[in-house]
């Protein structure tokens, strides 16, 4: 095999990649050494801004295969027939830590999935929990600030974490998930994934259904205790990345079975819980899981930066037959996710290979900007409408319209019959085994006992008491015991 020739960015061959050009054998370096300057300048710019949240992640390619007929609920083409396969890319991530953080930490996990469909890319952006901490996007920047490093101390502060939660009682349900056994997955392969938000499916008749996605791991759920996680971080901070990479390289391809909960749109208004509140679940007794298909991961990225770090997801990337719901957190993310990628990667991030559609053509009037690679032919116009046979609208909505009414202004979410901030957290606690409860109490008390303000502790304790009397009593006793030591 012939030796490949090293070149500069402009394609010129490099004569010497070991020694800089100097004024004489021992003299200073010359500014005319274009190869040296290009290498240093490029190296200085190798890093792009990391994600504010979900910075640390791993990814893999695979496919989604339909196993059950769901055409009565959605006209989405990639779900239109049993046996249909669609190429996918998934990015797993931790939420709060930076790019240099460890994998085996107590934190929700991102579960972001891109389907390369014939109708364009469909992005499903969720977590490994079915609920979230807050229900309104206006609180999201404050929530993340409370969980990130304090601007003075430079570290995550229990006072900040628990003070925000003390003043946000809707977080009680997600705190119960996070502090429970599933708060630290043993690996990305051994956790469930959820769309978390409520979305809309529309069938060929125009009938609308609200939908929640549940990806159940076929490897079984495995989690780490706080002690096991600390040991794992000490051995390999990249433990989840290592596990995913090596499993796929060995041909042990992880898989998940997708189930959905489906609610006819007409039932949403009178459902006992607000179906668009992401701090709440739909009990399976009300809306049972229905199987859709399976997700299989079978190929690792060739380059982590190009394909994992530059992967860009946005929940507003819908396809015909799938659309949004009035879920307020989802509505905020429809803007925020795409805007974050425009900041991090530029306006043309959708042209990067990992983000570009693979099974559909892109044809629009977007032009120019940094890193543009798509210009069209010399005859193409960059405006619409035009008289030159340019691409035109279809007039067919992706999903069914949503009825709206009332006065504009800032409103709290409407309460349904069973809506409060604590009922479902109590239900989750009562489902736990005795051992699970013991670990949950220990995890909560371990963090809450470090808070320096008594009033913040008391506010949080009141939330656990409101969820379940035994829950609150045990957390209170554990916190007091730790503070007395």
């Amino acid at each position: 095999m012939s030796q490949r020739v090293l070149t500069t960015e402009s394609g010129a061959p490099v004569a010497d990649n070991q020694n800089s050009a100097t004024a004489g054998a021992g003299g200073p370096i010359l500014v005319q050494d274009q190869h040296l300057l290009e290498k240093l300048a490029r190296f200085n710019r190798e890093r792009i801004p990391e994600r504010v949240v979900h910075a640390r992640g791993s990814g893999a390619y695979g496919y989604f295969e339909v196993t059950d007929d769901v055409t009565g609920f959605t006209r989405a083409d990639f779900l239109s027939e049993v046996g249909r396969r669609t190429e996918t890319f998934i990015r797993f991530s931790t939420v709060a830590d930076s790019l240099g953080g460890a994998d085996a930490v107590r934190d929700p996990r991102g579960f972001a999935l891109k389907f390369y469909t014939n109708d364009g890319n469909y992005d499903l952006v969720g977590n490994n929990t079915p609920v979230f901490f807050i229900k309104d996007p206006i609180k999201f920047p404050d929530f993340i600030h409370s969980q990130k490093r304090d601007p003075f101390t430079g570290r995550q502060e229990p006072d900040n974490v628990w003070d925000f939660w003390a003043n946000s009682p809707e977080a009680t349900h997600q705190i119960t998930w996070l502090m429970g056994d599933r708060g630290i997955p043993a690996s990305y392969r051994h956790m469930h994934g959820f769309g978390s938000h409520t979305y809309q499916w529309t069938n060929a008749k125009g009938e609308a259904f609200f939908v929640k996605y549940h990806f159940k791991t076929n490897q079984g759920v495995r989690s780490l205790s706080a002690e096991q996680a600390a040991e794992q971080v000490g051995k390999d901070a990249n433990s989840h990345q290592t596990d995913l990479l090596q499993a796929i390289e060995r041909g042990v391809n992880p898989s998940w079975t997708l189930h959905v909960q489906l609610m006819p749109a007409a039932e949403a208004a009178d459902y006992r819980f607000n179906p668009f509140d992401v701090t709440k679940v739909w009990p399976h007794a009300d809306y049972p899981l229905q199987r859709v298909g399976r997700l299989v991961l079978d190929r690792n990225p060739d380059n982590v930066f190009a394909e994992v770090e530059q992967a860009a997801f946005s929940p507003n990337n819908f396809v015909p037959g799938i659309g949004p719901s009035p879920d307020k957190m989802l509505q905020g993310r429809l803007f925020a996710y795409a805007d974050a990628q425009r900041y991090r990667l530029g306006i043309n991030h959708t042209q990067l290979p990992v983000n570009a559609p693979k099974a559909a053509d892109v044809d629009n009037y977007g032009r120019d900007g940094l890193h543009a690679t798509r210009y069209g032919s010399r005859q193409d116009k960059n405006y619409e409408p035009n008289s030159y046979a340019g691409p035109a609208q279809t007039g067919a909505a992706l999903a069914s319209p949503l009825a709206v009414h009332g006065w504009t202004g800032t409103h709290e979410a409407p309460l349904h019959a069973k809506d409060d901030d604590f009922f479902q957290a109590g239900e989750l606690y009562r489902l736990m085994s005795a051992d699970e409860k013991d670990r949950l109490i220990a995890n909560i008390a371990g963090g809450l006992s470090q808070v320096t303000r008594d009033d913040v502790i008391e506010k949080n304790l009141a939330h656990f008491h409101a969820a379940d009397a035994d829950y609150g009593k045990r957390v209170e006793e554990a916190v007091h015991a730790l503070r007395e030591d």
Side-chain angles (χ1 to χ4, degrees):
M1 185 171 62
S2 61
Q3 179 67 52
R4 294 161 56 190
V5 174
L6 177 66
T7 74
T8 65
E9 292 293 321
S10 63
V14 173
D16 191 339
N17 195 43
Q18 313 305 318
N19 303 289
S20 303
T22 60
I29 288 175
L30 298 175
V31 150
Q32 72 182 41
D33 190 342
Q34 181 263 347
H35 179 51
L36 169 67
L37 299 187
E38 181 180 85
K39 283 185 72 175
L40 294 180
R42 182 177 181 84
F43 180 75
N44 286 346
R45 293 161 176 81
E46 277 185 0
R47 296 295 173 262
I48 60 176
E50 70 175 43
R51 292 166 169 86
V52 177
V53 289
H54 298 277
R56 182 175 181 81
S58 302
Y61 292 94
Y63 62 87
F64 179 79
E65 181 177 12
V66 179
T67 58
D68 295 78
D69 182 10
V70 291
T71 55
F73 306 105
T74 178
R75 60 186 177 90
D77 178 68
F78 77 102
L79 299 175
S80 62
E81 57 182 313
V82 173
R84 180 78 169 270
R85 286 190 177 186
T86 300
E87 185 179 354
T88 61
F89 179 81
I90 193 167
R91 186 177 186 271
F92 304 106
S93 56
T94 55
V95 176
D97 215 339
S98 64
L99 189 58
D103 286 342
V105 294
R106 188 171 299 281
D107 200 13
R109 298 302 191 276
F111 194 98
L113 189 59
K114 188 182 295 291
F115 299 83
Y116 299 102
T117 86
N118 290 341
D119 289 322
N121 292 350
Y122 171 46
D123 289 354
L124 182 59
V125 180
N127 286 323
N128 70 330
T129 59
V131 293
F132 196 61
F133 295 93
I134 53 175
K135 64 181 74 172
D136 195 302
I138 204 167
K139 298 179 70 171
F140 188 75
D142 298 295
F143 164 60
I144 295 301
H145 288 167
S146 75
Q147 311 297 301
K148 288 281 194 177
R149 296 176 186 271
D150 182 86
F152 172 66
T153 67
R155 64 176 193 170
Q156 189 182 52
E157 292 291 348
D159 278 358
N160 299 354
V161 171
W162 289 95
D163 181 43
F164 183 89
W165 288 343
N167 292 288
S168 304
E170 72 265 32
T172 308
H173 192 185
Q174 174 72 322
I175 292 169
T176 306
W177 274 93
L178 179 63
M179 296 300 176
D181 281 358
R182 297 191 184 186
I184 313 179
S187 79
Y188 289 131
R189 296 183 297 129
H190 294 93
M191 68 181 193
H192 295 327
F194 301 88
S196 300
H197 295 293
T198 299
Y199 296 90
Q200 185 203 104
W201 275 7
T202 305
N203 66 17
K205 298 178 182 178
E207 298 168 327
F209 301 83
F210 292 117
V211 60
K212 282 187 175 288
Y213 295 89
H214 301 250
F215 288 85
K216 300 293 187 179
T217 176
N218 294 325
Q219 290 69 239
V221 171
R222 286 181 50 209
S223 304
L224 302 175
S225 68
E227 295 75 20
Q228 290 171 324
E231 181 180 356
Q232 184 67 267
V233 168
K235 290 179 178 178
D236 180 8
N238 307 297
S239 56
H240 288 30
Q241 165 69 13
T242 301
D243 175 85
L244 182 66
L245 174 75
Q246 293 182 351
I248 295 175
E249 288 297 291
R250 295 195 312 269
V252 181
N253 297 331
S255 65
W256 287 257
T257 299
L258 172 61
H259 298 80
V260 293
Q261 290 179 284
L262 291 162
M263 174 188 293
E267 297 180 12
D270 297 323
Y271 185 49
R272 57 188 176 130
F273 303 109
N274 181 347
F276 311 118
D277 180 350
V278 74
T279 68
K280 295 179 174 63
V281 298
W282 303 353
H284 294 177
D286 295 347
Y287 295 98
L289 295 179
Q290 301 186 47
R291 193 177 66 175
V292 180
R294 66 184 186 123
L295 169 69
V296 179
L297 304 182
D298 59 7
R299 180 165 65 90
N300 284 310
D302 293 328
N303 185 286
V304 172
F305 175 80
E307 298 164 90
V308 179
E309 186 64 14
Q310 291 193 130
F313 299 85
S314 177
N316 64 10
N317 287 341
F318 292 115
V319 292
I322 303 177
S325 79
D327 180 331
K328 292 181 78 172
M329 279 298 295
L330 171 61
Q331 292 283 322
R333 285 171 166 157
L334 296 180
F335 162 76
Y337 272 62
D339 188 59
Q341 305 303 349
R342 295 182 190 108
Y343 163 69
R344 292 184 62 246
L345 302 170
I347 192 63
N348 290 306
H349 65 274
T350 54
Q351 297 178 31
L352 295 169
V354 70
N355 301 320
K358 297 182 184 297
D361 294 328
V362 175
D363 197 0
N364 59 40
Y365 298 93
R367 295 289 187 272
D368 305 338
L370 191 65
H371 301 149
T373 61
R374 189 178 67 242
Y375 296 101
S377 70
R378 69 174 69 178
Q379 291 85 15
D380 283 347
K381 303 301 179 182
N382 63 347
Y383 60 87
E384 199 278 331
N386 64 59
S387 304
Y388 294 86
Q393 65 196 39
T394 66
L398 298 185
S400 294
L402 300 171
V404 295
H405 63 277
W407 299 95
T408 61
T410 57
H411 304 283
E412 292 186 4
L415 291 177
H416 289 229
K418 282 284 189 180
D419 274 347
D420 66 42
D421 293 325
F422 311 111
F423 176 79
Q424 289 198 353
E427 290 281 270
L428 178 58
Y429 174 78
R430 289 184 286 274
L431 284 173
M432 293 181 179
S433 68
D435 288 345
E436 288 174 323
K437 289 178 180 176
D438 289 344
R439 291 187 289 269
L440 171 68
I441 301 304
N443 291 333
I444 292 175
L448 189 54
S449 63
Q450 299 178 53
V451 174
T452 59
R453 288 182 48 171
D454 290 343
D455 62 320
V456 172
I457 293 175
E458 293 304 319
K459 280 184 179 179
N460 278 287
L461 291 176
H463 297 167
F464 299 122
H465 279 290
D468 181 272
D470 180 67
Y471 190 5
K473 177 175 178 291
R474 293 189 61 186
V475 173
E476 182 170 3
E477 289 175 347
V479 169
H480 289 166
L482 289 172
R483 284 168 63 83
E484 290 170 1
D485 287 348

